[in-house]
Amino acid sequence: MSIDILIDKIRQKNNPSVVGLDPRIEYVPEFIREECYTRCGRNLKGVAQAILEFNKKLIDELCDIIPAVKPQSAYYEMYGVEGIKTLYETIEYARNKGLYVITDVKRNDIGSTAEAYSTAYLGKTQIEGDIYVDAFASDSITVNPYLGTDGIQPFINDCSKYNKSIFILVKTSNRSSGEVQDLMTAGETVYEKIAALVNQWGSQCMGQKGYSNIGAVVGATYPEQAAKLRKIMPNTYFLVPGYGAQGGTAKDVANCFNKDGLGAIVNSSRGIMCAYINKKYEEKEFAAAAREEAIRMRDEILNCII
């Protein structure tokens, strides 16, 4: 099962964290930008190449200490077709380095459209006859649940068919999440009802290590809600955004874990990508700064959950 693969990588690295690759061109050191602009021009292709070089160097520096990366598709889509190519190449490069790739796309729709989204990121696209190819060969993606079971089932089917996983939005880390997710309905919040559905959906594809391929997104910025959700979804792996730049701490994320020290993987994006800026390193040391921050994050989280 895909979730078993992720757990193995977490155990091998002794690190329950994932690095979010959410690059804007201004995060890329100037020397990389200028090299790529010289080759490709000051255009979308030059930007996309600079981001790809940035991503590759970060992956090279981090791949021995982290189990996974999480590229957010919006940060690539904003740079057009060239950005989409960079997303594809980033996924491919990370997987070739042995990393588990969670592509943060937050996709969903009804029926055949949900099937198409799932095919793009989890399944295989048919060219003709028995010729099938990977469009974006992700190990996992994020999914929006607010169209109900018929919008989720195609993703669940592909998880089982292609040995992939998904993380369904339950309680997100943003400040206004409560406007919808905290609404009370029939004595429960919306996020509690979604959690119960995730728990139900997850029973369709359980792994051998006690967790399902159907995971949940639970923000680090809401530790009390996380503790409640952990009880509702005992066999669900949590993808935990909101650590670091959004204000979540290692103590905040502790409630997302089970007593076995498993059950959650914590994301940091800007905190690691931009560590060289935050820690005032020289530009050429950006990858070393990212490594230092990734190790600090790992150790801080482990100290709070073990």
Side-chain angles (χ1 to χ4, degrees):
M1 282 290 193
S2 182
I3 199 65
D4 295 331
I5 295 170
L6 175 59
I7 291 170
D8 283 341
K9 291 181 183 295
I10 290 170
R11 283 175 164 165
Q12 288 163 9
K13 307 287 178 67
N14 190 29
N15 187 357
S17 66
V18 53
V19 174
L21 296 177
D22 306 350
R24 304 179 72 97
I25 189 59
E26 56 263 36
Y27 300 166
V28 179
E30 185 177 3
F31 77 93
I32 295 178
R33 298 201 306 264
E34 291 304 320
E35 287 174 4
C36 292
Y37 292 158
T38 299
R39 291 200 313 267
C40 305
R42 292 182 188 274
N43 49 36
L44 290 175
K45 184 174 182 179
V47 168
Q49 284 299 304
I51 288 172
L52 181 60
E53 289 301 312
F54 181 59
N55 285 351
K56 283 182 174 180
K57 286 180 168 59
L58 288 174
I59 289 168
D60 288 344
E61 189 70 25
L62 298 170
C63 63
D64 65 319
I65 60 170
I66 63 169
V69 292
K70 184 179 73 65
Q72 161 55 261
S73 64
Y75 286 89
Y76 301 85
E77 292 170 20
M78 70 187 289
Y79 298 115
V81 172
E82 297 294 340
I84 295 295
K85 289 180 182 177
T86 289
L87 174 61
Y88 175 87
E89 293 183 52
T90 296
I91 292 169
E92 185 177 50
Y93 192 82
R95 294 189 82 211
N96 286 339
K97 288 288 185 175
L99 297 174
Y100 193 89
V101 178
I102 304 167
T103 307
D104 195 352
V105 291
K106 297 182 177 71
R107 295 295 197 262
N108 203 324
D109 212 307
I110 58 172
S112 59
T113 311
E115 290 176 10
Y117 277 136
S118 186
T119 295
Y121 288 96
L122 300 177
K124 291 184 179 293
T125 299
Q126 185 179 25
I127 305 303
E128 59 176 283
D130 61 354
I131 302 173
Y132 290 82
V133 298
D134 290 322
F136 295 92
S138 308
D139 296 297
S140 181
I141 63 171
T142 54
V143 176
N144 190 319
Y146 289 94
L147 284 87
T149 300
D150 63 348
I152 291 292
Q153 196 61 51
F155 297 95
I156 296 175
N157 294 345
D158 280 343
C159 283
S160 297
K161 184 176 181 179
Y162 295 104
N163 192 25
K164 301 296 180 73
S165 70
I166 58 174
F167 290 91
I168 298 173
L169 304 181
V170 176
K171 179 59 181 171
T172 57
S173 58
N174 57 305
R175 290 184 180 180
S176 63
S177 66
E179 292 177 1
V180 174
Q181 295 164 16
D182 291 4
L183 291 175
M184 297 296 295
T185 171
E188 290 182 303
T189 61
V190 169
Y191 72 78
E192 288 173 299
K193 287 187 176 293
I194 294 294
L197 284 170
V198 170
N199 193 56
Q200 175 187 322
W201 292 327
S203 65
Q204 299 179 45
C205 43
M206 292 295 297
Q208 296 181 353
K209 302 181 189 299
Y211 292 93
S212 170
N213 277 341
I214 312 306
V217 176
V218 177
T221 47
Y222 296 102
E224 293 180 9
Q225 291 88 335
K228 190 183 297 185
L229 290 168
R230 185 76 275 172
K231 292 177 182 177
I232 298 171
M233 301 179 288
N235 304 113
T236 300
Y237 231 85
F238 288 8
L239 171 62
V240 186
Y243 173 92
Q246 290 187 53
T249 68
K251 289 182 180 179
D252 292 332
V253 306
N255 287 342
C256 294
F257 290 83
N258 278 317
K259 291 181 180 179
D260 59 5
L262 297 172
I265 185 163
V266 183
N267 179 76
S268 177
S269 299
R270 282 171 290 166
I272 291 175
M273 286 191 307
C274 299
Y276 78 100
I277 299 171
N278 300 334
K279 296 177 182 292
K280 299 183 179 177
Y281 273 64
E282 294 293 327
E283 276 195 340
K284 295 207 176 210
E285 297 179 319
F286 74 93
R291 183 181 181 89
E292 179 185 285
E293 175 58 20
I295 291 171
R296 187 207 63 76
M297 174 185 174
R298 176 198 67 192
D299 293 348
E300 183 180 62
I301 292 171
L302 290 176
N303 286 337
C304 288
I305 66 173
I306 295 176

